[in-house]
């Protein structure tokens, strides 16, 4: 090796090491929150996010652990805090809080905390985190509210901790407004822990590396990420591309319409033409619609560019005011994820027209979660166990341009499905069946992922209430490039009664609820499917002999090895 | 290492590339490293054993005990080379193993593939039966249905059957009946029951553990019997023990029944070594850092014990991503393993960032400097160019390293894309891999409420001594131990492992509605089960028992392990258990939640032989400046430049020899790099102890 002198180490490598360290700090924040959270949806499904910001309020790092629903909402939110509390008023031990859906993460249940970070007595940046609290009063977590005031306690940006002193008045109001006061208190403490741990780590890291502030690294991260994202966009053909998708809605179908304009290294998505606001709580504030739109763009174009403001800057999401994807105060927004999680398929629909074979066909998108309650009868003692639980399940994802879709798998959300033995140990339910739903994956050169069949009943011969907020029951996922549609979802009782996709409905004692989750759509013409895959699907009992004959033109051979 | 006097003990660790043999005799320690024989692993073992026996002039009959660890089970799972296996499960749940948690292991990757199934859908069979959460029968077992399966299993050539029914952890009768029927009707396959392999709630993990056990059982049973036969034929009359993932050793019979417990035995041996050195040196807080060719393993050793866990994910996909492998619930030494080793490849990503690993050049083609066709730069190439490795002394001098090839690779893949000098590129590679390991260690410590700045680092494996100092600095650690013979650390650890067995059983209760009678009955039963297994191998030695419970606040999702008194519980004890829970919880999360009830999901009993009492080391009598063996030019981070650095030959160093950094302390299998901020001394047990003098 040439041993010439090298006085100062390359700033590039130093910057990159620091960048890695900052990402590790936000991951550590997210892990702290995951392990101390009370709300199951946080720890099982990662409904949280953690980020680091510079003093200008620019997000410089965000944990990968967490939900796509917070990707972009968090990036913009710290600025609102800075408007309310100017830099010069901040104390090293302050912590600020809001759950304003239009400033934080799209519905009241998401609390967002921001803490200033001081290093050597100088304010250098902020740590921030968001997570989902189980209950804030109102009608409870469901789509049935008529305005935001039905949906629970609204907390504007406040100082939760003032120079190290926790606002106990606020904590008592919070607890008094929740059906589960101990959990929401515990979760608030978990959030406090999370931002404090991040601040400590950040200061220790700067000490270790002998740095005074984040000014240089922040610019480096922004510039590198912005540049990379723009380069990736520049590789796409410029132009304007539109796509439209009809979905179930609350009581009438909704149209989600997007026009994607690609020019000069920027992608602009405009949701003009989409349906207006819903009377019920499935509306999306624009920040939340942006989050899932940016998530889809990142997956398709730049999955390896870390999340930060620079990476998001070239992605511009717009929507006309008072549309379902830019719902303004005070419309109800509690279940905004039902619509938000469908947006990636609208974005993919546009991208399919930009560059073929980049994105998957349509899939289930929205979670098939089943909030169930039982044992309540007007406050009277029924002798049955009182319970409230939420089973989380999924349908199939759309087939990819080069491979089949994933069966019974969450996308775009990152949740974990429920296990039968755990469900049965925490609630008086029996799950009678949880298996792949044969023939539900849309046919194609590549097959859509299968949905699943779930059958459940009370273990006590008691009625159960279902609070549904599901989609893709009236309008199934659609295939791309000649692929067939996936099977629509279905909710019925064992006696044949059909359930609506949304709203409270009762499962009478002695009946089973039969849940058929949707299958993903196919990609490409079914006649080009590899015959060995068709044979394997039959052999595995994923495709019936009849469907193989109808969809793939295969002579019916009785399925082998299927005893299920 | 403290040597138990007058005993001759042999340990063998079969790794993916090398088989390590250690023979401990009253005369001292003898070691050998031979290539692993992938076809007939027992032959590789015997070849190495012959070398150490010859060197020590000991004959087979004189060996008192033989302890063996192997990666064969792990490799069979990773390479999907196990038995043709079928699953028999509850009707309606044919896909539990495949549906898993319905999640994607990579949030942003649209093209992920889920792990391929050990048991494909056409080999997953269902029978009608159903238990509820309390183990009560809702639907009786369809015995005729089981009988009907047998001809099918036999005609498909099924070699192993996993039986997994819902809630079988609370009532094993249906599973037992299936086994009886299968055997009666002439099923040829080996049978694993979920209620025996892993009697814990959560069907996905229980079925997966059972499936993995069944999948490797025919292979492991065959291998273990062959090894035993070979040993007997070669004159060994001593007992044979197998090292388990939990840091203890077990009998051949138990290993044949539960081969899944043999995975990760090598790394668990490393942790046992670290725990022993912790005891010798009276280090109550130790961070164990074992860096090899492909991965680095980091574990916390507190109060001379490695932390254990119940979850392990086998065979993660290429990028070592969490969730991309197969989760099994077995007792394991808790450690994090990241794709950072000497063979980890340096490259730049699409954003232009320098990344190290997790892809590894392995031993073939190996780093560019091996001149075996590897064209991508690995961590070893960077160490070579920084002067930390002597190109003529690598692997006992058996392999000459080519600096020119390392330079070419590093220029092309790192220096040019980043527009930095070669020295910057090489130093950047070592800094980045150390940063990755430090970040992983920090996250691990957060999960256990440990403050690493009060810890001592123990560094071993081929790469540990090269990167230990900088890792310690990044973690705020001031003291480092580099043990003697660190490159055969795992096999060395086997020698001090106790005979032990852990049984974990699910039985749900809350502290509020605590059924003392039911809990005691269950604990007595699993205690007897563990004692039976350990007694079979303990040779009458005294046994100790450690009991614990996995508890959480009602409604939480993550359990913590809380110690229980080692006797039958009384009503009064429940209050003590509650206090014990509070103190464990506070230690992890700072505060408790007073009004909240606590639930217990599972219970654990570990029965083991009393561990060898370990003598504390004494301080060296005299301190002298060590004699340098030579000098060479090496890159010094503190100077940001190359300078002449003294080298020392570790086998020549004596207790009390002191070394001031910067220095390179070389030994046959590795080199320890000490920067200017540290000084070193050799202690009376030949450990190298480094202390930070400049902060």
């Amino acid at each position: 090796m040439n041993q010439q002198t090298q006085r100062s180490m390359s700033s590039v490598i130093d910057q990159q090491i620091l960048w890695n360290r900052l990402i590790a700090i936000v991951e550590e924040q997210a892990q702290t929150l995951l392990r101390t959270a009370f709300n199951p949806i946080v720890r099982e499904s990662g409904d949280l996010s953690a980020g680091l910001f510079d003093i200008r309020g620019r997000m410089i790092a965000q944990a990968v652990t967490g939900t796509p629903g917070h990707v972009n909402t968090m990036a913009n939110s710290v600025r609102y805090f800075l408007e309310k509390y100017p830099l010069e008023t901040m104390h090293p031990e302050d912590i600020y809080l809001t759950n304003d859906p239009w400033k934080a993460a799209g519905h009241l249940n998401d609390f967002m905390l921001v803490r200033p970070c001081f290093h050597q007595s100088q304010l250098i940046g902020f740590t921030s985190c968001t997570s989902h609290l189980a209950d804030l009063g109102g009608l409870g977590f469901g789509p049935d509210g008529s305005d935001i005031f039905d949906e629970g306690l609204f907390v504007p940006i406040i100082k939760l901790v003032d120079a190290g002193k926790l606002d106990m008045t606020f904590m008592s109001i919070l607890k008094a407004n929740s059906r589960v006061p101990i959990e929401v208190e515990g979760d608030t403490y978990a959030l406090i822990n999370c931002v404090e741990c991040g601040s400590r780590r950040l200061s220790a890291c700067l000490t270790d590396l002998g740095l005074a502030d984040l000014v240089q690294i922040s610019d480096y991260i922004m510039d590198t990420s912005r540049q990379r994202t723009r380069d990736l966009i520049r590789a796409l053909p410029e132009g304007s591309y539109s796509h439209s998708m009809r979905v179930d809605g609350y009581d009438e179908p909704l149209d989600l319409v997007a026009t994607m304009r690609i020019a000069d290294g920027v992608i602009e998505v405009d949701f003009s033409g989409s349906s207006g606001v819903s009377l019920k709580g499935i509306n999306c504030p624009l920040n939340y619609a942006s989050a899932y739109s940016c998530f889809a763009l990142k997956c398709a174009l730049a999955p390896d560019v870390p999340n930060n403001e620079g990476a998001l800057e070239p992605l511009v999401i717009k929507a006309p005011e008072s549309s379902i994807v830019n719902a303004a105060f005070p419309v109800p927004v509690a279940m905004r994820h039902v619509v938000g999680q469908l947006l990636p398929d609208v974005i993919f629909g546009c991208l399919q027209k930009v560059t073929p074979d980049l994105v998957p066909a349509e899939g289930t998108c929205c979670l098939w979660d089943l909030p169930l309650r039982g044992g309540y009868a007007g406050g009277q003692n029924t002798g049955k166990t009182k319970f409230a639980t939420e089973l989380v399940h999924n349908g199939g994802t759309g087939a990819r341009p080069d491979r089949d879709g994933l069966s019974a798998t969450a996308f775009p959300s990152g949740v974990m499905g429920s296990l039968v033995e755990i469900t049965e140990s925490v609630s008086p339910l029996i799950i009678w069946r949880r298996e792949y739903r044969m023939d539900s994956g849309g046919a194609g050169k590549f097959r859509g992922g299968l949905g699943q069949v779930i059958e459940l009943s009370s273990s006590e011969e008691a009625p159960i209430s279902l609070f549904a907020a599901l989609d893709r029951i009236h309008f199934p996922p659609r295939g791309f490039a000649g692929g067939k549609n996936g099977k629509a979802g279905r909710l019925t009782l064992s006696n044949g009664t059909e359930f609506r996709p949304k709203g409270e409905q009762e499962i009478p004692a002695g009946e089973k609820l039969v849940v058929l989750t949707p299958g993903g759509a196919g990609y490409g013409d079914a006649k080009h499917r590899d015959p060995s895959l068709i044979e394997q699907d039959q052999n595995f009992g994923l495709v019936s002999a009849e469907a193989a004959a109808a969809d793939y033109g295969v002579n019916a051979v009785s399925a082998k090895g299927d005893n299920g | 290492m403290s040597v138990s006097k007058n005993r001759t003990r042999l340990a063998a660790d079969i790794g993916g590339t090398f088989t390590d043999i250690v023979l401990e005799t009253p005369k001292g320690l003898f070691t050998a490293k031979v290539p692993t024989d992938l076809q007939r692993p027992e032959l590789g073992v015997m070849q190495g054993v012959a070398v150490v026996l010859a060197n020590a002039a000991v004959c087979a009959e004189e060996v008192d005990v033989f302890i063996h660890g192997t990666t064969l089970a792990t490799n069979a799972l990773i390479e999907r080379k196990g038995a043709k296996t079928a699953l028999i499960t509850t009707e309606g749940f044919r896909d539990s193993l495949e549906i898993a948690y319905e999640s994607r292991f990579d949030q942003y990757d649209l093209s992920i593939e889920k792990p391929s199934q050990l048991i494909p859908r056409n080999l997953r069979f269902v029978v009608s039966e159903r238990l509820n959460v309390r183990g009560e029968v809702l639907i009786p077992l369809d015995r005729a249905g089981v009988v009907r399966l047998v001809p099918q299993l036999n005609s498909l050539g099924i070699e192993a059957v996993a039986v997994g029914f819902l809630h079988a952890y609370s009532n094993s009768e249906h599973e037992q009946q299936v086994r009886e029927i299968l055997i009666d009707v002439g099923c040829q396959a080996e049978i694993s029951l979920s209620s025996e392999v892993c009697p814990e709630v959560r069907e996905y993990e229980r079925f997966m553990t059972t499936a993995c056990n069944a999948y490797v059982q025919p292979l492991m049973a065959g291998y273990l019997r062959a090894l035993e036969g070979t040993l007997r034929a070669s004159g060994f009359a001593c007992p044979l023990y197998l090292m388990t993932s939990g840091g203890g050793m077990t009998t051949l019979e138990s290993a044949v029944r539960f081969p899944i417990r043999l995975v990760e035995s090598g790394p668990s041996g490393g942790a046992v070594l670290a725990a022993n050195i912790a005891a010798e040196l009276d280090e109550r807080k130790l961070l164990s850092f074992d860096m090899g060719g492909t991965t680095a393993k980091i574990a916390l050793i507190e109060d001379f014990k490695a932390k254990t866990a119940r979850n392990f994910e086998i065979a993660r996909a290429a990028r070592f991503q969490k969730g991309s492998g197969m989760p099994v619930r077995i007792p394991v030494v808790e450690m994090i393993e990241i794709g950072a080793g000497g063979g980890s490849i340096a490259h730049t990503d699409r954003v232009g960032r320098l990344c190290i690993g997790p892809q590894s050049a392995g031993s073939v083609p190996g780093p560019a400097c091996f001149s075996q066709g590897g064209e991508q730069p690995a961590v070893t190439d960077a160490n070579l160019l920084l002067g930390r490795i002597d190109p003529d002394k690598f692997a006992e001098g058996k392999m000459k390293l080519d600096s020119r090839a390392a330079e070419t690779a590093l220029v092309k893949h790192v220096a040019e894309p980043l527009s930095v000098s070669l020295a910057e590129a090489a130093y950047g590679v070592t800094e980045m891999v150390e940063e990755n390991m430090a970040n992983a260690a920090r996250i691990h410590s957060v999960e256990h409420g440990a403050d690493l700045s009060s810890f001592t680092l123990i560094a071993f494996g081929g790469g540990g001594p090269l990167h230990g100092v900088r890792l310690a600095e990044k973690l705020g650690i001031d003291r480092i131990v580099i043990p003697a013979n660190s490159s055969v650390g795992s096999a060395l650890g086997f020698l001090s492992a106790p005979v032990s067995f852990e049984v974990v059983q699910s039985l749900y209760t809350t502290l509020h509605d605590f059924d003392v009678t039911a809990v005691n009955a269950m604990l007595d039963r699993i205690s007897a089960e563990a004692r039976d297994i350990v007694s079979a191998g303990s040779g009458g030695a005294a046994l100790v028992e450690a009991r614990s419970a996995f508890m959480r606040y009602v409604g939480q999702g993550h359990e913590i392990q809380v110690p229980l008194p080692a006797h039958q519980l009384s009503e009064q004890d429940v209050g003590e258990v509650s206090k014990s829970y509070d103190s464990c919880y506070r230690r992890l999360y700072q505060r408790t939640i007073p009004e909240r009830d606590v639930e217990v999901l599972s219970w654990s009993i570990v029965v083991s032989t009393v561990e060898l009492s370990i003598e504390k080391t004494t301080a060296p009598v005299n301190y002298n400046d060590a004699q340098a063996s030579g000098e060479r030019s090496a890159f010094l981070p503190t100077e940001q430049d190359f300078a002449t650095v003294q080298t020392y030959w570790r086998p020549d160093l004596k207790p009390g020899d002191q070394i001031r950094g910067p220095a390179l302390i070389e030994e046959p299998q590795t080199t320890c790099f000490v920067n200017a901020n540290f000084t070193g001394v050799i202690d009376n047990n030949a450990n190298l102890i480094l202390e930070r003098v400049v902060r």
Side-chain angles (χ1 to χ4, degrees), chain A residues 1 5-6 9-10 21 35 38 43 183 304 393-394 409-410 417 420-421 424 431 434 436 562, chain B residues 94-95 101-102 104 110 114 130 167 203 206 350 354 385 424 435 555 558 593 596 640-641:
Chain A
M1 170 174 229
T5 350
Q6 188 66 50
M9 275 318 289
S10 147
R21 184 83 66 96
R35 296 179 73 88
F38 275 78
R43 40 167 229 247
E183 275 93 339
D304 48 3
H393 292 293
N394 295 277
T409 298
V420 171
E421 289 180 351
E424 293 186 4
I431 314 294
R434 181 189 179 216
Y436 286 151
D562 175 31
Chain B
R94 188 182 180 189
D95 300 314
Y101 280 104
E102 308 186 17
R104 290 167 294 127
L110 293 176
K114 298 209 177 179
R130 186 68 153 88
H167 300 299
E203 72 273 14
R206 186 171 72 254
R350 295 204 305 168
L354 174 60
L385 295 179
E424 286 173 302
E435 185 69 20
H558 175 76
I593 292 131
R596 194 73 178 170
Q640 298 293 324
D641 200 356

Side-chain angles (χ1 to χ4, degrees), chain A residues 248-451:
Chain A
D248 298 356
Y250 190 91
D251 38 23
E252 56 182 23
L254 295 175
D255 285 318
L256 301 173
V257 180
T259 301
M260 181 179 289
R261 277 181 285 275
I262 301 177
D264 196 24
V266 172
I267 294 184
E268 183 192 277
V269 177
D270 186 339
F271 283 105
S272 291
S274 297
S275 297
V277 292
S278 169
L279 294 175
K280 296 295 182 180
I282 57 169
N283 298 297
C284 276
L286 183 60
N287 59 0
Y288 191 78
S290 300
Y292 269 106
S293 304
C294 290
F295 172 73
L297 289 169
K298 263 185 69 70
C299 285
L301 304 173
D304 48 3
V305 181
N307 268 332
N308 57 59
E309 184 159 319
L312 292 165
E313 236 175 66
L315 313 177
V316 179
I317 314 296
K318 291 178 171 173
E321 279 193 30
S322 301
S323 64
I324 186 110
V325 286
N326 187 7
F329 178 87
V331 302
V333 294
M335 308 304 271
R336 84 300 194 222
H337 55 274
V338 179
V339 168
Q341 288 174 354
L342 288 159
L343 296 177
D345 270 3
V346 182
I347 299 289
F348 289 165
C350 294
L351 286 171
Q352 173 73 5
K353 294 166 187 167
V354 176
T355 305
D357 299 349
L358 180 66
V359 291
E362 290 182 8
T364 304
C365 284
C366 63
L367 277 179
W368 271 58
D369 54 340
L370 306 168
L372 300 167
R373 254 185 249 173
Y376 295 89
Q380 288 170 19
N381 188 357
T382 57
K384 306 292 186 187
T385 310
K386 281 185 185 173
F387 76 96
T389 192
E390 186 171 351
L391 275 57
V392 181
H393 292 293
N394 295 277
T397 72
R400 281 82 58 93
D402 59 347
R403 61 195 76 194
D404 290 348
L406 300 166
S407 298
T409 298
F411 181 87
S413 112
V415 308
M416 307 271 273
S418 310
L419 292 184
V420 171
E421 289 180 351
I422 296 293
T423 300
E424 293 186 4
S425 65
V426 299
S427 54
L429 294 172
I430 301 277
I431 314 294
W432 295 101
R433 194 168 173 208
R434 181 189 179 216
E435 274 183 338
Y436 286 151
R437 178 184 173 197
M438 194 192 243
D439 292 335
S440 57
K445 179 179 180 190
F446 296 102
R447 173 181 48 67
L450 273 64

